[in-house]
Amino acid sequence: MRRLTPYLLALPSWMWLGIFLVVPMAAMASVSLQTGNAIDGFAMTFSVSNYGDALGRYSTQLLRSLLYGGLATVAMLVIGYPVAYWIAFKGGTRKSVYLFLLLLPFFVSFVLRTISWNFLLSDNGILFGTLKGWGLLPADFHVLATTFAVVGGLTYNFLPFMILPIYVALERVDPRVVEAAQDLYATRAAAFRRVVLPLSLPGVFAGVLMTFVPATADPINAQILGGTANTMIGNIIQTEYLTNLNYPTASALSFTLMAVLLVGIFIYARALGTENVLEAAAR
Amino acid sequence: MRGTRLGDRLLQLYTWIIIVWLSSPIAVMILFGFNDKKSKSNTSWQGFTLRWYAELFDISDLTVALRNSLVIAAVSTVITVVIGTMLGLALGRHRFRGKGLTNFLVFAAISTPELVMGASLLSLFVSGNVPRDANTIIVAHVLFSVSFVVVTVRARIVTLDPSLEEAARDLGATAWGTFRQVTLPSIMPGVMAGAMLSFALSIDDYVVTSFVNGSTVTFPLWIVGAVKTGIPPQVNVMGTLIFGIGVLIAIGNAVAARRRT
Amino acid sequence: MNHPMPRTRRDFFRAAGFSAAGLALAACGVQGQKAAPPKADAVKDFWAKQTKHGKVVFANWPEYMPEDQAPLKKFQQATGISYEYKEVIQENAEFFGKADPVLRAGQSLGYDIVVMTNGVQLQHMIELGYATPLDHAQLPNFEANAGQKYKERAYDPGNKYTVPYTSGVTGIAYNTKYVDDDITSIESLFDPKYKGRVGMMADAQEIGNFAMFALGIDPEKSTEADWKKAGEKLKAQRDAGIVRKYYDQSYIDAVAKGDVWISMAWSGDVFQRQLAGEPVKFVVPEEGGTIWTDNMLIPKNAANPVDALMLMDYLYQPVVAAELDEFIQYVTPVPAVQDLLREKAKTAKGKDKKALEEMVDSPLMFPTEADYAKLRNYTPLTTQQEQVFNPIFQSVTQA
């Protein structure tokens, strides 16, 4: 019975992921190799060229998405790490309260949040209208419909996913280890750099994983906050799926995107020096 | 921990700034729940009123959508927490065949774009002749939430000293008893974090839900449908109430925490 | 942790093995389903077998029914048929994308009436046999009260599958606070004077039409060469930095706020903002505007087709149509509504009276013959043509 325990524990999740993730993915892989259209039907032709065509047409948007996703991830890291640090080491008994407050805005629909941003960042609205009135900004200054707005939106929407894993990793660090370092005459900065930071890297990795991927694939921020040169690969996939009903191209793009993301994650993991990436990812 | 008090204070201030920044659109949302608007759009301030609080449930479709969202979030969170914790335990504590594959699956669930997940699920349900309704939404929500719970629980479990559990068993506790009284309380912070995340993800989800909802409307779906023509203030009021309840729970937590020390 | 990688690789291949099995199953592909139009006898037989069930499920766009659902309640009182009203349609493409797999599998959508705009997706619905042919013997009010224009629509000759619900016009909206001139020409959308302040619609059919109007081309008669020229013009507009954003429906907020000064727009949206006192004006450009119609149809395998027909017909009674249009504020297919609203305005008071009078006189709700002469439908497209048309314009809006 003992030896069966892990299998029994894992079984429900296996079944769930197996039926609802693996099988549909396999079907999607199959569709990505077909040709045809929604009206006359699709047929399996093993046309690997679908991938080539899709990449050729949309490489700009794909690269742009990686760029935006990367920028947003870096921003989230820079912004979120100090927050995680402070809550983990200085939060005291109210740690969970701070975490809760961080997550709270996300109990409210993202549409409402984004619309509110749309309102706040309006060219002549509460924020910029006032600043323009005081002559602090030129009259045609605008944030909406720019790259900055899109990356800012991505950063805003996924920040908690960066903060939480880093917090979990930092919280495990015994403050006495840091004290020991300082007893050995390390400065506070050095103690951080050589003790705390390396210990937090698995959390950083998990945070990057949980933010870079959705940020790169997100269509909503570009749709609401972006301008004419901000279309991301998520928007393209959405259009191909829902407007053009071009399921083979859409499926090919989806797999390409996932493959690119996987490659990115593996490279990053190697750079971090993690041997078994998947183990680290799941940590 | 030694260090400058100024440095600590700055960090604390910074943390509060971030919390405020994250919440600022919520302030706008709350404010416009009091807007005495006359036209269909709710984007310019026209005066203060409390009437939307009185007329909160006037739009029956919206009320139904909100109720759907709450029920779905609750059910899917429970399922996610149960099966996710189980898997997290298995991955963190035991050795078994298929661990690598499981890690890969968990990773895959996180790295699948929502759009792709939604479209592939819809195809699956249709070819299986499964009607799309609240149940299929719950299935989808569990699917994308379970990885988060697994990751958080596993991270927690890995740090726990197994000798505690061994000791409990040596003292005659059953496996379930050991779990309930030793393991579970220790991993509870991880489980709660996963549960909160799972609930938030579910109540907020738009993309995947829009594929598998059939004719069941959830709160985010209803709102997106109303964006074009103007979001009624009742939506703001509901958002405010959800937010307010959350704040109350946080305050309650803080009070309880202070009592504990 | 000895040899972690080989173990992972082995498990990976095992997963691949399972996936291959799934692949094999899915390798059949998706069958096309182009349906031949049913013969008249088949239609008659179908309807002869149907009876009233006492229930109807109506799927519609948001804000297309008064909040108190009064017309539907009155329908229930008059006929005893209970109704369910669901505002679940937000985009034609998205709706079709979700309906297609369901109807293809021979299942029911769960709706008896759905409303779709006359465009490519509606065409697909008809082509694929997803729309139930209507029994006009059971639509007397439609026959009696619908405007002639609405009985002769090119996209559904003889109203075999659809009857109009409401129509709208795509023109230009501009914010009078920021735009001093009187806008009359479509060239204003391309004017460098408004650089960075112009909004265009992201929908390929909408933006395609406008580019063609600007080039003096009639979209209803356009060819592939025309579309390419239109694409070039739009590309030039974009590269010159004139367009701020390609919008779906959210342009109206941007115009009202002044983030955008001038934009492609739908008549009803602008009218509603005008009623609220916001500084927006609407104009149908001299070169032309687009008229579109949202149509009611009965999807295949609907559970209650007879009840659906009865509801569709009920909405064509002038009194009911007037009540609907007063709320929707788009163009009604029942011309008699204009007089009815005029009558109502006479006996109304205060704010209501003012609103009604504005409605009755508004060309946005009751276009004149001169207006209609300028209006064109979307470019008619076959499935093959769609695959050429869409990329031309998407490469501009989604670059």
Side-chain angles (χ1 to χ4, degrees):
Chain A
M1 183 58 192
R2 260 300 203 95
R3 277 199 291 151
L4 277 182
T5 311
Y7 296 99
L8 289 177
L9 284 176
L11 189 61
S13 296
W14 274 346
M15 280 174 43
W16 209 283
L17 290 172
I19 299 176
F20 299 119
L21 187 63
V22 176
V23 171
M25 284 300 153
M28 205 177 68
S30 159
V31 170
S32 73
L33 297 172
Q34 298 177 9
T35 44
N37 62 62
I39 309 306
D40 303 322
F42 297 100
M44 173 54 97
T45 54
F46 292 103
S47 48
V48 184
S49 60
N50 282 341
Y51 284 85
D53 290 339
L55 258 181
R57 263 202 289 169
Y58 297 121
S59 55
T60 316
Q61 290 88 342
L62 185 57
L63 289 171
R64 183 187 291 147
S65 300
L66 288 168
L67 175 65
Y68 290 1
L71 284 174
T73 305
V74 169
M76 284 186 265
L77 194 49
V78 167
I79 294 178
Y81 197 105
V83 176
Y85 184 91
W86 189 82
I87 299 180
F89 285 113
K90 301 290 183 177
T93 46
R94 291 190 245 158
K95 283 180 194 173
S96 56
V97 175
Y98 286 115
L99 288 176
F100 199 86
L101 285 177
L102 274 176
L103 261 192
L104 207 51
F106 297 82
F107 280 79
V108 170
S109 166
F110 89 92
V111 182
L112 272 181
R113 280 182 274 128
T114 316
I115 290 171
S116 304
W117 274 125
N118 225 339
F119 174 80
L120 278 171
L121 296 176
S122 178
D123 289 10
N124 298 299
I126 289 185
L127 181 59
F128 295 134
T130 321
L131 288 176
K132 286 182 192 177
W134 292 341
L136 289 172
L137 284 174
D140 55 358
F141 176 83
H142 65 101
V143 166
L144 289 179
T146 63
T147 308
F148 181 78
V150 178
V151 176
L154 290 171
T155 307
Y156 174 83
N157 274 311
F158 296 111
L159 188 60
F161 293 103
M162 176 65 83
I163 295 181
L164 268 175
I166 297 181
Y167 162 80
V168 168
L170 282 174
E171 209 247 344
R172 287 189 275 145
V173 172
D174 194 338
R176 291 173 297 176
V177 169
V178 185
E179 262 188 51
Q182 289 177 322
D183 281 342
L184 292 169
Y185 301 112
T187 62
R188 199 158 176 221
F192 171 76
R193 205 164 30 98
R194 303 181 73 179
V195 177
V196 177
L197 187 56
L199 284 175
S200 68
L201 276 183
V204 170
F205 181 78
V208 166
L209 178 66
M210 292 212 289
T211 53
F212 179 64
V213 167
T216 306
D218 180 72
I220 309 290
N221 282 283
Q223 195 177 316
I224 298 187
L225 301 170
T228 60
N230 301 123
T231 309
M232 291 173 71
I233 196 71
N235 304 104
I236 301 291
I237 295 179
Q238 207 170 24
T239 308
E240 289 288 3
Y241 256 123
L242 299 177
T243 309
N244 298 344
L245 304 180
N246 194 345
Y247 300 133
T249 305
S251 306
L253 276 174
S254 304
F255 271 109
T256 308
L257 175 64
M258 290 198 287
V260 169
L261 288 172
L262 267 171
V263 165
I265 297 293
F266 269 88
I267 294 179
Y268 178 65
R270 284 266 168 243
L272 271 189
T274 331
E275 281 236 326
N276 189 332
V277 174
L278 299 175
E279 280 276 336
R283 241 199 292 143
Chain B
M1 199 161 105
R2 283 181 301 212
T4 62
R5 292 217 68 204
L6 178 62
D8 287 348
R9 278 268 172 254
L10 279 177
L11 262 186
Q12 179 176 23
L13 180 65
Y14 175 76
T15 302
W16 275 107
I17 290 179
I18 296 300
I19 291 182
V20 167
W21 175 54
L22 283 178
S23 311
S24 45
I26 312 298
V28 172
M29 176 199 72
I30 296 177
L31 187 62
F32 275 78
F34 297 108
N35 187 13
D36 188 14
K37 73 159 185 114
K38 297 162 189 75
S39 69
K40 283 191 190 163
S41 78
N42 194 11
T43 49
S44 50
W45 183 257
Q46 287 161 26
F48 184 92
T49 175
L50 285 173
R51 68 182 244 236
W52 308 116
Y53 282 82
E55 297 173 11
L56 182 56
F57 298 117
D58 272 13
I59 307 177
S60 59
D61 269 1
L62 173 59
T63 312
V64 169
L66 179 65
R67 200 196 60 206
N68 287 341
S69 275
L70 289 171
V71 169
I72 289 173
V75 174
S76 60
T77 299
V78 168
I79 299 179
T80 305
V81 163
V82 168
I83 71 174
T85 305
M86 286 165 68
L87 185 58
L89 275 174
L91 284 175
R93 269 266 174 276
H94 302 267
R95 289 170 45 206
F96 57 95
R97 304 217 335 232
K99 230 183 183 183
L101 172 59
T102 311
N103 283 330
F104 180 75
L105 279 182
V106 168
F107 174 78
I110 296 186
S111 55
T112 308
E114 290 229 311
L115 200 62
V116 172
M117 196 181 273
S120 55
L121 272 178
L122 177 62
S123 310
L124 176 74
F125 291 141
V126 167
S127 34
N129 270 334
V130 176
R132 268 78 47 211
D133 53 22
N135 297 318
T136 48
I137 302 179
I138 291 174
V139 164
H141 285 200
V142 171
L143 182 62
F144 62 66
S145 304
V146 73
S147 302
F148 292 104
V149 175
V150 170
V151 164
T152 352
V153 168
R154 183 206 170 114
R156 196 74 194 173
I157 269 267
V158 161
T159 67
L160 288 179
D161 189 351
S163 55
L164 271 177
E165 290 165 326
E166 271 185 43
R169 271 193 291 275
D170 285 342
L171 290 170
T174 62
W176 171 247
T178 312
F179 174 75
R180 202 165 44 91
Q181 294 183 310
V182 179
T183 322
L184 189 55
S186 321
I187 61 170
M188 195 48 96
V191 171
M192 287 313 293
M196 285 193 320
L197 194 51
S198 174
F199 193 84
L201 283 175
S202 168
I203 233 187
D204 200 22
D205 183 67
Y206 173 71
V207 178
V208 177
T209 313
S210 70
F211 278 93
V212 300
N213 69 316
S215 50
T216 308
V217 184
T218 63
F219 192 52
L221 286 178
W222 195 96
I223 297 178
V224 172
V227 162
K228 159 184 171 185
T229 44
I231 298 189
Q234 280 87 347
V235 169
N236 294 51
V237 173
M238 286 181 183
T240 307
L241 291 175
I242 294 178
F243 184 72
I245 293 175
V247 169
L248 284 175
I249 296 182
I251 294 180
N253 223 336
V255 171
R258 203 168 288 185
R259 285 226 210 99
R260 260 187 256 128
T261 43
Chain C
M1 266 225 307
N2 284 336
H3 306 296
M5 280 315 279
R7 209 148 145 235
T8 313
R9 238 184 288 154
R10 203 177 30 181
D11 294 323
F12 183 79
F13 284 133
R14 204 174 292 156
F18 287 132
S19 303
L23 253 164
L25 284 172
C28 311
V30 177
Q31 298 308 319
Q33 264 210 20
K34 211 186 217 138
K39 302 199 199 55
D41 298 331
V43 176
K44 258 169 96 186
D45 289 338
F46 169 78
W47 284 106
K49 285 193 231 131
Q50 303 300 323
T51 54
K52 174 174 151 184
H53 293 152
K55 184 172 152 68
V56 69
V57 182
F58 186 0
N60 205 347
W61 298 66
E63 299 281 323
Y64 264 6
M65 179 68 61
E67 268 143 28
D68 57 7
Q69 297 182 346
L72 294 174
K73 293 212 174 83
K74 295 201 189 116
F75 171 73
Q76 179 165 359
Q77 279 171 345
T79 60
I81 299 177
S82 72
Y83 68 88
E84 252 186 79
Y85 184 73
K86 298 182 172 236
E87 293 178 337
V88 290
I89 306 181
Q90 284 127 29
E91 264 193 61
N92 291 294
E94 189 190 313
F95 181 74
F96 179 77
K98 281 165 60 167
D100 180 50
V102 176
L103 294 172
R104 193 181 290 271
Q107 297 172 352
S108 164
L109 281 179
Y111 308 126
D112 302 309
I113 305 181
V114 301
V115 176
M116 291 180 74
T117 320
N118 66 308
V120 176
Q121 285 81 23
L122 179 59
Q123 198 181 319
H124 287 329
M125 293 287 279
I126 297 178
E127 262 178 338
L128 290 168
Y130 290 164
T132 309
L134 303 173
D135 180 10
H136 280 269
Q138 300 193 47
L139 292 172
N141 281 311
F142 172 75
E143 298 298 328
N145 301 316
Q148 198 54 30
K149 277 186 200 38
Y150 297 102
K151 292 193 199 158
E152 298 163 350
R153 296 158 298 137
Y155 57 88
D156 183 18
N159 308 301
K160 263 212 286 271
Y161 300 98
T162 68
V163 290
Y165 183 74
T166 190
S167 265
V169 174
T170 312
I172 299 180
Y174 59 100
N175 188 315
T176 47
K177 236 172 75 178
Y178 295 95
V179 175
D180 302 314
D181 315 317
D182 245 344
I183 306 290
T184 53
S185 163
I186 212 172
E187 279 300 324
S188 304
L189 288 171
F190 298 86
D191 193 337
K193 196 163 60 165
Y194 303 116
K195 184 171 162 174
R197 296 293 183 181
V198 171
M200 300 291 281
M201 287 190 178
D203 182 71
Q205 297 204 284
E206 292 278 8
I207 203 175
N209 263 34
F210 264 53
M212 286 191 260
F213 288 137
L215 291 170
I217 304 171
D218 181 352
E220 290 176 10
K221 304 188 177 65
S222 55
T223 65
E224 189 175 325
D226 294 324
W227 306 335
K228 291 217 170 82
K229 271 194 262 170
E232 294 296 317
K233 184 155 173 79
L234 290 170
K235 198 162 172 306
Q237 180 197 34
R238 213 184 126 243
D239 292 339
I242 296 180
V243 180
R244 173 170 163 126
K245 190 182 161 78
Y246 295 102
Y247 289 93
D248 37 26
Q249 308 100 340
S250 45
Y251 64 87
I252 191 65
D253 260 342
V255 175
K257 274 191 297 184
D259 287 349
V260 153
W261 294 351
I262 176 171
S263 171
M264 288 176 64
W266 290 324
S267 49
D269 289 348
V270 180
F271 186 77
Q272 285 164 8
R273 296 304 179 107
Q274 276 177 345
L275 267 189
E278 296 185 28
V280 286
K281 266 181 98 158
F282 181 84
V283 63
V284 177
E286 293 162 347
E287 296 85 346
T290 307
I291 182 164
W292 46 264
T293 308
D294 284 342
N295 305 275
M296 292 188 277
L297 60 122
I298 304 180
K300 194 167 95 160
N301 303 326
N304 310 296
V306 172
D307 311 70
L309 270 187
M310 290 176 72
L311 179 53
M312 283 159 82
D313 195 55
Y314 184 79
L315 297 175
Y316 268 87
Q317 288 180 29
V319 177
V320 181
E323 206 176 331
L324 262 185
D325 200 34
E326 202 185 323
F327 177 81
I328 301 176
Q329 293 163 5
Y330 270 97
V331 179
T332 172
V334 179
V337 166
Q338 190 172 19
D339 286 329
L340 278 177
L341 288 181
R342 200 168 279 145
E343 288 297 314
K344 189 167 176 197
K346 288 205 193 113
T347 55
K349 296 197 189 36
K351 249 189 345 182
D352 289 336
K353 184 184 178 79
K354 188 166 173 295
L356 282 167
E357 283 172 350
E358 270 190 61
M359 279 185 222
V360 168
D361 291 328
S362 169
L364 277 69
M365 281 179 64
F366 299 101
T368 63
E369 280 309 313
D371 293 326
Y372 274 116
K374 283 195 280 186
L375 299 171
R376 298 281 177 276
N377 279 306
Y378 295 130
T379 313
L381 296 167
T382 65
T383 307
Q384 270 67 26
Q385 288 173 322
E386 191 194 350
Q387 313 212 309
V388 175
F389 187 88
N390 278 352
I392 294 178
F393 297 104
Q394 282 168 3
S395 68
V396 174
T397 61
Q398 294 205 307

